Amino acid sequence: MKFKKSLALMLALALPMAAEAHRYWVLPAATVLSGDDPWVTVDAAVSNDIFYFNHYPLKAHYLSVVQPDGSTGEMQNLSEGKHRTTFDINLTEQGTYKVLMDSSGLHASWETADGERKRWPGRGEKPEPGDFEKKVPQDAKNLKVGYSSTKLETFITAGNPTDTVLALSNKGLEMKSSVHPNDLFTGEPVTLTFFMDGEAIEGVKVVIIPEGMRYRDSQEEIALTTDEAGKVKVDWPQAGRYWLEAEYEDDKAEAPATTRSGKYIATLEVLPL
Amino acid sequence: MTLLKRVIPAALLGLCGPLAAADVSVSLEIPEMNVAEYHRPYIAIWVQNKDSKAVTNGAVWYQIDDDGEGEKWLKDMRLWWRRSGRSLEMPIDGVTGATRKPGAYEVDLTHVAEQLEPGEYQLYVEASREVGGRELLNVDFNWPVEKSQTLTAQGETELGKLTVSFNP
């Protein structure tokens, strides 16, 4: 558990602190499968071109597989390449699986007496428990402390879709779809509700980008903002896979943080009717 | 007026020969974008002969860095890459340069004009931006020009107004 926590902290560092916010994504070869013993190959990458592997692999130790009963599944035939991580999941149970990346942690910035800007954790630094108290001067000038969380989910279903893996953790930014995420079809608009620390929240910025970027001249992004009930409505323009990223920030943070921010990422597949 | 215009260039040609200071210049706009994540666009400006298909490069603006990582995205200017870029060794003296921030730019293409045989041409401007889009503009012209002329094209996404000025 301790090991997992430190990984999460490290990831919290690695994700939002990157100089350029790159896009993180997990792409299953299929999301709807049949049969008693199907297999699915999953790719995971960091790249701005959706869904083309051209930058960096999303390392497997950030990811986990959640089985339909909520237990942890296995990544098989795992391989990390130059531009992507690849693994297989053997869907031995019927129902909905999830590939998950979940991280959160504190971060801080301040000014020294000489006016130099400082940050914690530093680039590539892996924070240990107690580091915040040790490494951040609590009386520093312009001290800003934030708590950020990043959650990435991708769903895969063998047989009938189930809901266990869809349950909210009530931590960070999360999404609930009015239709099961493995039951999306063109011509069937869905309502997506976004929750921050378990509460439906207004003002979440949502961007949805259809696959196939290489074959067009624009991102063709759908940009939405949640209403007072935390909802956006999405009418899928075409069948295919979509990358969704939602971001939210406010000042309703728990001490010592003064801001809380959440990022939620999902890959959704919409089938043609 | 007309007579004067016609006479003077002819006289100049007679005196100085075909290497007189005939020139082409391009003014282009890189629009401001109201986006969360902005990267400066890669831009290529080139001239292609309609018959021979020969390409003469005017300018290529891309991210020039020590490890050559910026060259990875040159192919996103996909028409330029096909017509010319993929056969070139970057950087190119007098052609390649760093990416530019949003604004209006004048690009002198005298070095291109000097290389052009008489004929029909197209001038292209292609822009591609990471986490953004790609846009291609072009204007047709005949070379050499007998009198000064100006051609324009209007970009809609990655480029603003394009103005190309030709002087005999």
Side-chain angles (χ1 to χ4, degrees), chain B residues 43-98:
Chain B
I43 290 182
I45 304 170
W46 76 98
V47 165
Q48 183 166 35
N49 185 292
K50 279 192 178 175
D51 291 328
S52 70
K53 306 291 180 203
V55 166
T56 309
N57 281 296
V60 179
W61 298 343
Y62 70 106
Q63 187 189 319
I64 300 172
D65 38 26
D66 294 340
D67 57 4
E69 181 74 3
E71 292 186 18
K72 193 166 138 183
W73 316 103
L74 285 169
K75 49 87 183 154
D76 288 344
M77 298 182 284
R78 58 178 186 260
L79 186 68
W80 171 78
W81 185 248
R82 184 182 190 206
R83 298 253 173 100
S84 175
R86 65 189 183 189
S87 65
L88 302 174
E89 193 65 51
M90 308 296 273
I92 306 162
D93 234 20
V95 172
T96 48

Side-chain angles (χ1 to χ4, degrees), chain A:
Chain A
M1 252 357 255
K2 195 139 199 174
F3 176 62
K4 221 175 170 181
K5 200 176 172 192
S6 70
L7 276 178
L9 282 167
M10 182 173 66
L11 184 59
L13 154 74
L15 301 183
M17 301 287 284
E20 295 294 351
H22 276 96
R23 292 166 173 171
Y24 291 74
W25 44 270
V26 165
L27 185 67
T31 59
V32 175
L33 295 109
S34 58
D36 290 337
D37 191 33
W39 288 72
V40 65
T41 294
V42 177
D43 292 311
V46 183
S47 85
N48 278 338
D49 292 339
I50 303 296
F51 292 106
Y52 303 106
F53 321 102
N54 63 15
H55 184 60
Y56 206 69
L58 179 47
K59 302 269 186 183
H61 60 256
Y62 296 143
L63 302 171
S64 62
V65 174
V66 187
Q67 302 188 103
D69 65 0
S71 63
T72 301
E74 202 186 335
M75 298 179 202
Q76 303 200 45
N77 305 316
L78 177 65
S79 141
E80 268 176 19
K82 180 80 175 163
H83 288 159
R84 68 171 158 181
T85 294
T86 297
F87 57 89
D88 296 326
I89 306 172
N90 185 195
L91 309 176
T92 52
E93 291 178 40
Q94 296 283 291
T96 301
Y97 287 68
K98 172 164 81 172
V99 178
L100 175 69
M101 177 174 92
D102 194 2
S103 75
S104 58
L106 285 171
H107 53 87
S109 70
W110 65 94
E111 269 175 52
T112 64
D114 307 335
E116 192 190 347
R117 298 291 299 168
K118 290 276 194 182
R119 281 178 176 282
W120 174 85
R123 234 180 170 189
E125 182 185 347
K126 184 175 158 184
E128 302 292 339
D131 271 5
F132 174 74
E133 291 77 7
K134 260 188 280 177
K135 296 193 172 176
V136 178
Q138 306 297 320
D139 52 356
K141 198 173 148 198
N142 287 332
L143 175 65
K144 291 196 178 81
V145 180
Y147 190 86
S148 65
S149 61
T150 298
K151 189 169 199 174
L152 176 152
E153 295 180 316
T154 300
F155 305 98
I156 302 162
T157 296
N160 220 12
T162 55
D163 292 340
T164 306
V165 302
L166 306 184
L168 300 183
S169 70
N170 297 329
K171 291 196 181 91
L173 187 61
E174 298 180 282
M175 183 188 87
K176 212 175 180 86
S177 170
S178 62
V179 177
H180 191 287
N182 288 144
D183 195 23
L184 304 173
F185 285 85
T186 51
E188 296 182 359
V190 297
T191 299
L192 306 176
T193 310
F194 288 85
F195 300 84
M196 187 67 187
D197 294 334
E199 191 188 344
I201 199 113
E202 183 179 8
V204 178
K205 303 263 184 245
V206 184
V207 167
I208 301 172
I209 300 178
E211 66 176 314
M213 272 179 52
R214 184 183 293 161
Y215 311 113
R216 56 181 188 249
D217 280 344
S218 69
Q219 301 275 319
E220 284 185 12
E221 66 180 38
I222 303 165
L224 305 162
T225 305
T226 57
D227 64 14
E228 65 280 0
K231 294 179 193 302
V232 294
K233 197 176 161 193
V234 183
D235 197 354
W236 309 105
Q238 69 210 43
R241 292 170 298 193
Y242 291 82
W243 180 78
L244 178 150
E245 183 180 64
E247 288 179 293
Y248 180 76
E249 182 171 337
D250 70 16
D251 54 9
K252 291 179 193 156
E254 276 177 39
T258 54
T259 60
R260 59 172 184 170
S261 61
K263 183 182 268 202
Y264 176 87
I265 302 161
T267 297
L268 299 170
E269 185 175 36
V270 177
L271 295 174
L273 205 56

Side-chain angles (χ1 to χ4, degrees), chain B residues 115-137:
Chain B
Q115 297 176 59
L116 299 184
E117 301 290 332
E120 287 179 51
Y121 288 89
Q122 281 181 305
L123 182 143
Y124 289 91
V125 178
E126 185 168 19
S128 173
R129 180 169 56 91
E130 188 178 6
V131 205
R134 175 259 187 192
E135 185 163 36
L136 180 73
L137 297 178

